[in-house]
Amino acid sequence: MRAVTMETSLASTARVFLLRLALAAGIVFVFVAILRAGGPKCVAGTSYFDAASTGQPLTWPLGQINYYTDLGSLSPILPNASANSFVASAFAVWNSVPTAALAAVQAGSLAEDVNGTNVTVNADGTITMPLDIQPTATGTPIGVVYDSDGTVTDALLGAGAGSSGECFFNAVFGGNDNYGSSATYQHALIVINGQCAQQNSQLTDVEYRLVRVIGNVLGLGWSQLNVNVQSGAPYPTSDDYAGFPVMHFMDVWNCVPITLCYPNPYQLSMDDTAAISRLYPVTASNLSNFPGKQVFSSATARIHGSVYFTDAHGNPTQPMQGVNVVARWIDPTTHQPSRRYAVSSVSGFLYRGNGGNPITGFNDALGNPLADWGSTDATVEGFFDLAGLEPPSTGAQYQLSVEAVDAKWSAGVGPYWPGPVAPSGSWAPITVTVLPGGDLQQDIVMTGSEQPSEQTASSWASPLPLPSGGDWQGSLASYGQTDYVQLYAQANRTLSVAVTALDESGQATESKTQPVIGMWAASDSPGSVPGAFTLSPFNQVPFGLTRLDANILASTNFLIGVSDVRGDGRPDYHYQGHVLYADTVSPARVSVNGGSVTLQGTGFTSGMSPSVGSSTVTVLGLSGTLMTVAVPAHADGPQDITVTDPVSGASTKMTGALTYGAAASDNIVLLYGANAATPVGVQAANAMSVRVLTSDGITPVSGATIGWSGTNSVQLSACGGASTCSASTDQNGDAATWLTPMTAGAAYITATLAPGVYSPSKAVTGTLVATETASDIGDLGQYLYVSQGATVIVPVTARVLSNGLPQANVQVNFTIVTGSGGLSASSAVTNTSGYATVNLSLTNVSSLVQVNACVAPGNLPCAVFYANPVPLAQQALQQVAGAGQVTTGQSFQPLVLRVVDSASAPHPVYAAPVSFLTTVLRPGGTTSGTGGGEAETGNPAMPVILKVTQSSAISDVNGLVSTTPSSGGFSAPVEVDMAASAGTSAVVDDPLFLLPAVSSGTSDRSAPPARHPIVLPIPGGNR
């Protein structure tokens, strides 16, 4: 079972690159995948070809090539015989090179007219075609198909590809599809689309493209010379056109007809003749087979060597692949390098340009080893060969220079695939003198090239730990190198790994390393397929960025690997890595009314956008590993937390990590729900109270939704007198409501935890029985709990009713039956609502006081009021609201506490004194930046106490006491520590935080971390 997968599901987990492939009888033309350039198209590798052939360019045996043409006609203006002459003319362009041992001749015809009736696409995507044009048809080595109506092109390249509107791309196509183990071509197919040869005006374009395809089939790759012919900068001269190679990589899209761009489109340049001659040189031993031709090495001159990186002392170090080396004849009259007579070669053209990597694999799209192609001999990694120069018999001077392979016009030039790669350093052109038959070695040592970086080596067995901030820099300096970093991640999380390729100056680039990213469980076997990986480099819009988004399926250690997609390594292959990962949230619970939480993870930076569920939230505090956010109100239940980087698109999600209010495993318990029979219209003696606890049965849950509902028209104080409503538990997990029956009989009051969220729901129920007689009386608040020793004046209120209706102008007599105290009057008359009130004065209360309220004149019926003293030792403090606040400049909300007694269902204590100690301090390792009036504004390791104040308050009749915290005028960041005490030992400590406002600017991971990052303590952790 995998511990990590890609966040975006794929139809296949095979490690592939996205190539456009043409299927033919189950065989795929992988022309793009094996294309070499800057010299030969294909170079034998180590896994398929004979060992003696490794590093050799592929050619047709002995340069003797037979091709076979279609029996049909190409178009109305090119019937079969004319089409054959047309093809022979194109082959003759290459046959006529005087130093090339090449003789391509028409040896006959194919056995059929190849057309849409015998080249068909099968239901499974394979293609049926005649046997003599299939890759195995080595008896007809090169098959030339005349696709008169474009249907063969449609079958091979896709519907519509053979239409006349696609001639710029598909007038002629084909390539080699069978290779001998001795580095030889065995078969090739060329298709000419007759829809592009309907008029004489089109034939030049078709022949131009045919000459280029034949060059490719013969084994030539693309080359670069005189790019200004395409770019227009500077404006090309006639010499630029004459020196421009036929085997350039691409054409400008609006070159129709082709002569708009090239006056002589398929006239070979010196670069073309040199390239074909290097592949098929006329030698003394084969000269007799090619009468009228010249020995290549005698008739021409050669310059060869290698391009190198340098060390700090200018000495050559690692060979440098992918540099275009150019030799230009120096005109003895003008002493200027010629634009007409020039030859090019890309360094390392024999070396492997894509060896694969442990992340995307070492095979191509068909499962064939990439090791089939290119040498691994380090001596040819920077090698260039400029054989084919044409000096006069007396010799000539040539300018030798280097240039980058142009990423726009020459992207397919050079051994790198994909490429190109920009050179590192510079090299001033030099002048050399050569004679026909001469062979000059001239190495090129690049001045100021990148130095090997001094970095700690990493490997699968010894990965580097991921820095806590999530950023690291690396260099893929060695061929085949993969860097590994390790991190721990939890299940039900996602993370993003963003890798930006960098050039020597630290700027983003796509012309150096092309990074791919893989991720494994650390317990996976070396060489195993990564559970998550990027299919290709630069898969995101930001320039130079590759990003992996991964799902974490199991909590374990992971390895993140970074490699060049080609498996290449050079001193100038730098990158910046960044991991964005949110690991935990604290607290993991918040009230349904919202609050603040701290995310702990890796890679948090300014400008990132956090969200809870679908709601964007505000960042209150930030460091590389901590992010404090204000979360909005939300219904009960788990919510995902996501942090997104709007610049890179990176994101991390913690699935269901934050629970609002009640969790599915929480329970609701009934603290108090019993009452004596109560007259209709009189508030019951006891409030119904509940508490929500976690599954451990101990820990209270604050901010959970309680759905109150009552039957029989009972009025609930929590609902403003209505019978149904929703409320939330306080910070002690409690919720309560007073009950007033309005109809005689039993009423059932239900408190449902998070109604409608979980199934089945959890609820508790209390019962209240209401009575109704001609004369009823009841107390408004029958029981009062008073702090022992308090001196207070307490209102005592009774209500008189008759059959549930309030009675006005009724005298009520009040009498102290037990204990000491004083009444403001011995009687009072009811108002229109039936209420009568007197004040009870208590001084240094120390014992129970009972007051009877009776209806005059007979003092029946009566209601009883009790004032109960609560010793200081039995008093406790409960948090109600305001704890754990974090703000960025706004005032703190009041801190609300409740004083209660020690009963199992605690009662609120009235008139209890509560002391507050407010300590304003500067957290250790921070500074206000402005001083804020402080004498010491440095960076102390320990917190600095800025101000200490004391205050006190007395609890109200509901036991509540509050104070509004203040930062004392000090600027952020500060901690405001609120310590409250009551009774003899009740203590509550609430740390609150005032933080600087976090910039909403864009993410900038290139900036160094803040000197004094704001780090918030994790609630519940060590402070």
Side-chain angles (χ1 to χ4, degrees):
M1 177 180 177
R2 292 210 174 274
V4 60
T5 63
M6 282 168 279
E7 189 169 351
T8 302
S9 62
L10 300 173
S12 169
T13 56
R15 302 183 291 189
V16 298
F17 290 105
L18 304 178
L19 302 176
R20 185 179 185 183
L21 306 175
L23 297 175
I27 304 297
V28 179
F29 292 108
V30 285
F31 309 140
V32 177
I34 60 173
L35 187 66
R36 313 295 296 184
K41 178 178 69 172
C42 298
V43 176
T46 57
S47 60
Y48 171 77
F49 299 97
D50 298 337
S53 300
T54 298
Q56 298 299 311
L58 269 67
T59 58
W60 292 92
L62 304 177
Q64 305 284 350
I65 305 169
N66 294 329
Y67 66 88
Y68 293 77
T69 58
D70 199 327
L71 283 179
S73 297
L74 180 57
S75 71
I77 65 171
L78 287 177
N80 185 261
S82 299
N84 290 342
S85 297
F86 184 79
V87 171
S89 175
F91 272 104
V93 170
W94 296 105
N95 285 340
S96 63
V97 176
T99 52
L102 189 65
V105 298
Q106 182 183 3
S109 299
L110 298 172
E112 63 283 306
D113 174 6
V114 182
N115 55 54
T117 65
N118 51 31
V119 179
T120 57
V121 181
N122 303 315
D124 61 358
T126 59
I127 296 176
T128 298
M129 59 171 54
L131 293 175
D132 57 355
I133 62 171
Q134 293 187 18
T136 54
T138 56
T140 52
I142 298 179
V144 181
V145 172
Y146 301 152
D147 182 18
S148 61
D149 58 4
T151 54
V152 175
T153 302
D154 282 346
L156 296 179
L157 299 184
S163 72
S164 59
E166 295 294 314
C167 291
F168 184 83
F169 306 100
N170 301 329
V172 185
F173 66 95
N176 309 89
D177 52 21
N178 192 335
Y179 314 96
S181 61
S182 58
T184 57
Y185 294 116
Q186 299 293 305
H187 186 267
L189 181 64
I190 298 174
V191 179
I192 307 173
N193 184 1
Q195 292 295 297
C196 305
Q198 298 294 306
Q199 302 174 30
N200 287 320
S201 60
Q202 295 177 296
L203 297 187
T204 298
D205 289 56
V206 176
E207 187 163 8
Y208 161 73
R209 303 193 188 285
L210 179 57
V211 169
R212 281 167 54 83
V213 170
I214 290 172
N216 185 257
V217 166
L218 294 177
L220 285 178
W222 309 120
S223 66
Q224 172 180 296
L225 264 180
N226 301 352
V227 174
N228 65 307
V229 168
Q230 295 169 302
S231 68
Y235 191 81
T237 66
S238 58
D239 278 359
D240 285 314
Y241 285 111
F244 186 65
V246 169
M247 296 305 291
H248 58 272
F249 175 64
M250 64 177 292
D251 293 318
V252 180
W253 66 271
N254 60 351
C255 289
V256 180
I258 199 66
T259 51
L260 286 177
C261 294
Y262 319 130
N264 300 293
Y266 47 87
Q267 177 178 308
L268 300 184
S269 68
M270 179 187 286
D271 189 64
D272 294 313
T273 60
I276 195 68
S277 298
R278 290 196 295 266
L279 269 185
Y280 300 94
V282 175
T283 64
S285 61
N286 66 16
L287 179 61
S288 60
N289 297 326
F290 302 95
K293 294 200 172 188
Q294 303 170 325
V295 175
F296 178 55
S297 61
S298 300
T300 64
R302 180 189 188 215
I303 303 173
H304 72 279
S306 290
V307 182
Y308 290 97
F309 286 89
T310 56
D311 62 17
H313 304 290
N315 300 313
T317 56
Q318 179 176 330
M320 187 183 299
Q321 194 175 13
V323 179
N324 200 44
V325 184
V326 180
R328 297 183 182 274
W329 174 65
I330 295 180
D331 188 326
T333 302
T334 64
H335 305 291
Q336 295 299 311
S338 171
R339 305 292 294 179
R340 177 186 294 263
Y341 303 113
V343 173
S344 67
S345 176
V346 178
S347 64
F349 66 91
L350 297 174
Y351 197 68
R352 182 167 297 163
N354 186 347
N357 62 84
I359 296 167
T360 57
F362 297 94
N363 297 331
D364 65 17
L366 299 180
N368 298 316
L370 291 167
D372 285 351
W373 309 106
S375 173
T376 55
D377 183 354
T379 62
V380 299
E381 186 174 2
F383 177 72
F384 65 90
D385 189 349
L386 294 171
L389 304 174
E390 301 176 7
S393 60
T394 56
Q397 289 185 318
Y398 280 82
Q399 182 198 69
L400 194 61
S401 63
V402 298
E403 63 185 17
V405 175
D406 191 282
K408 178 178 180 180
W409 300 109
S410 304
V413 173
Y416 283 121
W417 173 72
V421 175
S424 181
S426 61
W427 190 67
I430 64 169
T431 300
V432 297
T433 301
V434 293
L435 294 165
D439 188 352
L440 173 67
Q441 179 174 347
Q442 177 63 60
D443 291 335
I444 296 174
V445 180
M446 300 292 282
T447 302
S449 61
E450 188 70 354
Q451 306 296 310
S453 63
E454 297 180 2
Q455 63 179 41
T456 304
S458 65
S459 65
W460 181 285
S462 300
L464 296 176
L466 179 70
S468 60
D471 286 291
W472 82 100
Q473 288 191 338
S475 295
L476 301 172
S478 302
Y479 196 89
Q481 178 179 336
T482 300
D483 285 353
Y484 294 95
V485 295
Q486 179 174 285
L487 82 159
Y488 177 85
Q490 293 194 69
N492 300 317
R493 305 287 189 267
T494 69
L495 60 78
S496 289
V497 184
V499 173
T500 301
L502 304 177
D503 62 17
E504 295 91 333
S505 64
Q507 300 301 307
T509 181
E510 293 185 359
S511 61
K512 293 292 185 178
T513 186
Q514 298 197 11
V516 288
I517 311 165
M519 190 168 176
W520 302 258
S523 58
D524 288 344
S525 300
S528 59
V529 175
F533 59 94
T534 55
L535 293 172
S536 61
F538 309 132
N539 60 354
Q540 302 300 315
V541 172
F543 186 67
L545 179 68
T546 304
R547 194 184 77 226
L548 172 63
D549 300 321
N551 279 319
I552 307 302
L553 305 181
S555 300
T556 188
N557 287 312
F558 291 92
L559 297 180
I560 296 172
V562 178
S563 177
D564 182 74
V565 70
R566 302 156 297 211
D568 194 31
R570 296 168 35 141
D572 56 345
Y573 276 10
H574 304 309
Y575 68 88
Q576 170 78 38
H578 181 83
V579 172
L580 177 58
Y581 168 64
D583 186 69
T584 60
V585 56
S586 183
R589 295 280 196 103
V590 292
S591 165
V592 292
N593 301 312
S596 62
V597 297
T598 297
L599 315 182
Q600 187 167 28
T602 297
F604 300 143
T605 62
S606 174
M608 289 187 174
S609 176
S611 61
V612 174
S614 59
S615 301
T616 300
V617 299
T618 302
V619 178
L620 302 177
L622 183 67
S623 75
T625 59
L626 298 174
M627 178 185 289
T628 299
V629 299
V631 297
H634 201 282
D636 299 79
Q639 290 294 316
D640 301 339
I641 299 178
T642 305
V643 179
T644 302
D645 182 350
V647 175
S648 69
S651 66
T652 177
K653 178 190 290 186
M654 297 187 288
T655 302
L658 179 65
T659 299
Y660 274 91
S665 59
D666 292 345
N667 294 299
I668 184 170
V669 296
L670 182 64
L671 296 179
Y672 209 99
N675 275 287
T678 301
V680 171
V682 174
Q683 180 178 289
N686 299 303
M688 178 175 170
S689 59
V690 298
R691 179 172 293 167
V692 179
L693 302 171
T694 63
S695 57
D696 64 9
I698 299 172
T699 306
V701 177
S702 68
T705 300
I706 302 297
W708 291 106
S709 63
T711 64
N712 204 27
S713 303
V714 65
Q715 292 183 349
L716 309 179
S717 65
C719 302
S723 297
T724 60
C725 68
S726 291
S728 58
T729 57
D730 63 22
Q731 290 186 321
N732 198 56
D734 295 345
T737 184
W738 293 100
L739 316 174
T740 303
M742 300 306 294
T743 304
Y748 299 96
I749 302 90
T750 301
T752 303
L753 179 60
V757 176
Y758 303 111
S759 181
S761 59
K762 299 176 181 179
V764 293
T765 301
T767 304
L768 177 63
V769 176
T771 61
E772 187 177 86
T773 67
S775 180
D776 288 317
I777 188 171
D779 285 325
L780 185 64
Q782 184 175 6
Y783 299 99
L784 181 67
Y785 296 84
V786 183
S787 178
Q788 188 175 41
T791 297
V792 294
I793 297 175
V794 180
V796 179
T797 300
R799 191 180 197 192
V800 179
L801 303 103
S802 175
N803 295 316
L805 298 176
Q807 299 298 297
N809 300 316
V810 176
Q811 179 176 321
V812 179
N813 297 325
F814 294 89
T815 306
I816 297 177
V817 177
T818 303
S820 60
L823 294 171
S824 61
S826 61
S827 65
V829 176
T830 60
N831 61 18
T832 55
S833 298
Y835 292 106
T837 302
V838 298
N839 291 327
L840 170 65
S841 298
L842 301 175
T843 303
N844 294 325
V845 62
S846 60
S847 60
L848 174 69
V849 176
Q850 177 183 333
V851 177
N852 287 354
C854 301
V855 177
N859 286 333
L860 285 175
C862 294
V864 181
F865 170 83
Y866 299 96
N868 300 279
V870 180
L872 296 179
Q874 296 179 12
Q875 293 178 20
L877 284 171
Q878 292 180 343
Q879 292 181 327
V880 176
Q885 294 181 65
V886 179
T887 184
T888 56
Q890 298 179 354
S891 300
F892 288 109
Q893 296 298 310
L895 177 66
V896 182
L897 304 174
R898 181 187 295 116
V899 184
V900 296
D901 65 11
S902 58
S904 57
H907 306 103
V909 177
Y910 177 46
V914 178
S915 297
F916 292 97
L917 180 67
T918 302
T919 304
V920 181
L921 51 88
R922 182 82 64 206
T926 65
T927 178
S928 67
T930 60
E934 302 158 54
E936 172 58 57
T937 60
N939 183 27
M942 297 297 292
V944 175
I945 296 175
L946 305 177
K947 186 177 183 180
V948 178
T949 57
Q950 290 181 304
S951 60
S952 62
I954 301 296
S955 62
D956 64 14
V957 71
N958 294 308
L960 299 179
V961 63
S962 68
T963 186
T964 301
S966 170
S967 65
F970 290 93
S971 58
V974 292
E975 176 181 339
V976 180
D977 190 88
M978 301 296 299
S981 60
T984 58
S985 58
V987 176
V988 169
D989 185 58
D990 281 324
L992 314 178
F993 294 92
L994 173 65
L995 302 180
V998 176
S999 170
S1000 59
T1002 58
S1003 174
D1004 182 9
R1005 289 193 300 276
S1006 64
R1011 178 168 177 250
H1012 306 306
I1014 307 303
V1015 179
L1016 300 183
I1018 301 295
N1022 295 326
R1023 293 189 57 238

